Amino acid sequence: MTFSIARRRRSATAVALPLAAGLLLTACGSGGGTSANGEEPKTITLSYASANTGEKAFETLAKDYMAAHPGVHIKTNRIALNTYNQTLTTQMQAGNGPDVMYVNAGTGQAGSVGQLGKAGLLLELDSSLKSVLPEGTEELYSAGGKFLGVPVSLAVSGIVYNNDLAEKSGVTITPASTLQDVLSQCAKAKKSGKSVFGLAGSISQNTGLLTMAIASSTVYGPNPNWNQDRAAGKTSFAKTEGWREALQAVVDLKKAGCFQDGAAGAGFDALTNGASQGKLFGFFAPSGATKDIMDAAHGAVKLTALPFPAPKGTKTYPALTANIGLAGNAKTKSPKLVQSFIEFAVSPAEAKKFADAQGSIPVGKSISPSDLLPQYQPIADMLKNKQYRPYGIDAWPNGQIYDALGSGVTGLLTGQKSIGDVLKAADAAWTS
């Protein structure tokens, strides 16, 4: 089978594949003043970002809440992904932002909890909601000592893979594979006129996503606290052997012919064309892309979400991101209603329904294999046993670091930069 494509995206820093492989992947206002009897307004607004006009997860969430709470009305506002962060920031600073909003975790971009929270624009939430936060994510949804948001779903950032297509060329990649296993099969794929991976090498977000998928094992595998150590000045990109291993893996993949021809200069159109023609077995994207593509193919394609295989001798860890969340407006006239809506969004039944609609993983302290969609079954045991790491860039202090990493990897692919050059640039961006 070939990939027939359409796709949604995930958050800008974490996703990095807005139109990759052809996947398809408003303004707002808070809900009016307090009534004469002192009751909160029962109409609130919800803004969310999406690159896919067909996405219904947030719309369904709002409808479910209204059905369970007669008399409440939620006005939803879909904003295009590529303008969402700036639009939201502008509205919030002007005092006319939504009551509830889709936010990005951490501090790495404009529409994030850290950035909005530091400006005092987000509603402090009841600490009871912390009970749903996956391990290692509390700091991503807090700022200034205040708890300000919750993730509404989880995703694996790694490989979207068509195993049926790969096996026809005698190529096998599983969660138990190593980097060396992958490298040894790339020539076989080339002989059949195909490539193991598609890469938009000229797009820094895509090369960055590839590198982070490898670094989940080589950097964050042995040291889950690498970000904290970097912030404390105890280490650096240049001093961390795991970052060198991750970048060397990219170079080795290129040398072994694992990417399509011309990958270094390729854009997302190369993934679109290659995947639709059945010439690529996999590419690098958040795992929600699996659902978008399979839905567009009407059952003709079966995809799985895989971690990137670690070098031999290093344990493989999927990168689990909790970077899509909800937060409330500090200026809302309905703080109790906003709190109630956010609590509803992360209740077990609704979280499962939301994740299924989005093609993601239900948010919660633990992950049950029975709650996972079929595309996650190859890594179900990894997720159940917490053999994963948080997506590193979610907690980086600014977006320039990821840009430096991604553009640096493009330089590696063209031969214009060395591994040392890339690491030096990432360290400089960390302190910018």
Side-chain angles (χ1 to χ4, degrees), residues 19 66 97 133 159 212 240 254 281 289 331 335 361 376 423 429:
L19 295 174
M66 289 187 286
L133 293 175
I159 304 169
M212 291 303 301
T240 303
K254 179 180 183 295
F281 302 154
K331 294 184 178 180
I361 300 169
Y376 293 100
L423 297 175

Side-chain angles (χ1 to χ4, degrees), residues 58-331:
F58 284 98
E59 299 286 341
T60 300
L61 172 60
K63 290 178 181 178
D64 286 353
Y65 185 85
M66 289 187 286
H69 299 79
V72 171
H73 182 62
I74 301 175
K75 298 178 180 178
T76 56
N77 297 281
R78 177 190 171 273
I79 301 175
L81 172 66
N82 61 340
T83 63
Y84 182 81
N85 287 348
Q86 187 57 53
T87 299
L88 177 65
T89 300
T90 299
Q91 291 174 353
M92 293 293 284
Q93 291 173 340
N96 63 351
D99 295 287
V100 187
M101 70 213 74
Y102 163 120
V103 288
N104 298 298
T107 58
Q109 53 192 307
S112 63
V113 172
Q115 299 295 338
L116 296 172
K118 287 177 182 178
L121 299 175
L122 298 181
L123 178 70
E124 185 171 8
L125 300 178
D126 190 285
S127 61
S128 62
L129 276 171
K130 292 182 180 179
S131 63
V132 305
L133 293 175
E135 185 177 351
T137 62
E138 183 172 340
E139 67 181 57
L140 302 178
Y141 285 92
S142 301
K146 295 182 178 181
F147 175 49
L148 302 171
V150 295
V152 288
S153 65
L154 307 174
V156 171
S157 188
I159 304 169
V160 171
Y161 188 65
N162 187 330
N163 186 65
D164 292 342
L165 183 63
E167 286 189 337
K168 289 180 179 179
S169 295
V171 173
T172 301
I173 299 176
T174 72
S177 298
T178 66
L179 171 64
Q180 287 70 25
D181 293 332
V182 175
L183 295 173
S184 68
Q185 299 181 87
C186 291
K188 185 188 300 183
K190 284 291 184 184
K191 287 183 179 179
S192 66
K194 305 181 189 301
S195 300
V196 174
F197 299 125
L199 179 68
S202 70
I203 309 297
S204 64
Q205 295 97 328
N206 197 215
T207 52
L209 195 153
L210 161 62
T211 308
M212 291 303 301
I214 304 171
S216 179
S217 298
T218 63
V219 177
Y220 296 97
N223 184 8
N225 297 317
W226 188 89
N227 284 353
Q228 294 92 316
D229 289 348
R230 180 63 186 85
K234 296 178 180 179
T235 190
S236 67
F237 285 90
K239 293 178 180 178
T240 303
E241 183 58 29
W243 281 113
R244 293 185 179 276
E245 289 180 325
L247 295 175
Q248 184 61 53
V250 176
V251 174
D252 292 344
L253 288 164
K254 179 180 183 295
K255 289 181 177 178
C258 298
F259 305 130
Q260 82 278 11
D261 292 342
F268 289 133
D269 59 330
L271 303 187
T272 302
N273 297 334
S276 63
Q277 296 168 16
K279 293 183 177 180
L280 306 176
F281 302 154
F283 52 87
F284 311 103
S287 56
T290 56
K291 181 178 186 298
D292 295 323
I293 300 170
M294 289 190 291
D295 286 351
H298 304 292
V301 173
K302 181 181 178 181
L303 302 178
T304 58
L306 295 179
F308 195 93
K312 190 174 182 178
T314 299
K315 192 172 184 177
T316 294
Y317 289 90
L320 191 70
T321 177
N323 132 302
I324 290 181
L326 286 175
N329 190 333
K331 294 184 178 180

